[in-house]
Amino acid sequence: MTRAATFAALLVTLFAAHQLADHVLGQTDTQARLKTTPGPAGWAALGRHLAAYHAVVVVMVAVAVVGLDLRLSASGASAGLLISVLTHALWDRRTAVRWLLTRTGGGNFAKLARNGMNGMYLADQSLHAASLWLAALVATLL
């Protein structure tokens, strides 16, 4: 399998795993509510979410690697996982998301929370997708 095919399969798998783990299997209501709060309770909630989220990711990536015979080195897989964990934690605390939006002209978008739209959530999900792209790329190249 070519690097391009490995990258594509890994990216699709990571995106599917993200959707399942972030919205169904990898986060409780309590974790979602508390993970952005300051102090130990917020960090503990984020840690529990990261653990459950990445358990789903690891299982789905392992199934894809074995089932599709993907060429993924241990160092590549480890680096991709580390990128995912660190960036997921960064974006889920929301401070960096808000900082980025206000510095790039999206301050009002960060405040949007009406008519079924939530700017911070949409930005968070976009940043997660970009981070998964980076994780898949690094994992494939190493």
Side-chain angles (χ1 to χ4, degrees), residues 3 15-16 34 44 64 91 104 110 116 140:
R3 276 186 174 176
F15 187 73
L34 293 177
W91 304 136
T104 59
T140 302

Side-chain angles (χ1 to χ4, degrees), residues 104-123:
T104 59
N108 287 333
F109 187 66
K111 296 174 190 171
L112 178 64
R114 65 179 185 278
N115 299 324
M117 297 294 290
N118 183 304
M120 287 294 288
Y121 171 77
L122 292 170

Side-chain angles (χ1 to χ4, degrees), residues 52-85:
Y53 174 97
H54 285 94
V56 171
V57 168
V58 166
V59 167
M60 289 180 69
V61 167
V63 168
V65 166
V66 171
L68 300 174
D69 195 27
L70 300 179
R71 294 181 189 180
L72 193 63
S73 69
S75 61
S78 297
L81 182 61
L82 181 62
I83 289 168
S84 180
V85 170

Side-chain angles (χ1 to χ4, degrees), residues 8-102:
L10 189 55
L11 182 57
V12 167
T13 300
L14 286 172
F15 187 73
H18 169 77
Q19 294 301 317
L20 184 62
D22 223 24
H23 300 112
V24 180
L25 297 179
Q27 181 166 231
T28 67
D29 291 343
T30 300
Q31 290 165 356
R33 187 179 72 254
L34 293 177
K35 69 184 179 183
T36 63
T37 60
W43 286 104
L46 178 62
R48 288 188 299 276
H49 167 52
L50 290 173
Y53 174 97
H54 285 94
V56 171
V57 168
V58 166
V59 167
M60 289 180 69
V61 167
V63 168
V65 166
V66 171
L68 300 174
D69 195 27
L70 300 179
R71 294 181 189 180
L72 193 63
S73 69
S75 61
S78 297
L81 182 61
L82 181 62
I83 289 168
S84 180
V85 170
L86 294 176
T87 59
H88 201 98
L90 176 67
W91 304 136
D92 270 17
R93 289 294 286 181
R94 297 288 195 268
T95 303
V97 177
R98 184 173 278 101
W99 181 90
L100 183 60
L101 285 174
T102 58

